[in-house]
Amino acid sequence: MLVIVVENAPPRLRGRLAVWLLEVRAGVYVGSYGRRVREMIWGQVCAYIEAGNAVMAWAAPNDAGFAFDTCGQNRRVPVDFDGLRLVAFGPEAALPTQPGPATTTLPRRRGKG
């Protein structure tokens, strides 16, 4: 099983992926290929992703049962933790992109005072 998810991908890349894989949702492609075809498809994704980002996951004979790879700029970064591949948030994820209210406003109690 092979799954590729793209965000902000150019139409040219989405068309290339649709030739090889089934698009089950917008930007989510599924198929079943061997290592060579998977690497060829991933090479095209990384070459044509431009300002977008992508993640690819496939079945693998490891403890998790799958492996994954990413390309493009994303807040989620793959890290190796004692042989187990996990996902960490990059430093820019700690800061909000849009300034929000510093505190929430609570309704005032009615009554004296």
Side-chain angles (χ1 to χ4, degrees), residues 3-26:
V3 178
I4 297 178
V5 179
V6 296
E7 292 178 336
N8 197 22
R12 174 176 59 176
L13 175 59
R14 294 184 67 163
R16 284 179 180 262
L17 287 172
V19 169
W20 291 92
L21 304 165
L22 177 64
E23 187 174 13
V24 294
R25 291 277 191 262

Side-chain angles (χ1 to χ4, degrees), residues 27-70:
V28 180
Y29 299 87
V30 179
S32 181
Y33 290 102
R35 182 186 55 82
R36 272 191 264 167
V37 174
R38 180 182 72 231
E39 290 174 354
M40 182 273 304
I41 293 171
W42 188 242
Q44 291 185 7
V45 169
C46 292
Y48 295 111
I49 195 65
E50 295 177 5
N53 64 69
V55 62
M56 175 178 67
W58 65 94
N62 58 20
D63 290 340
F66 66 93
F68 68 95
D69 201 359
T70 64

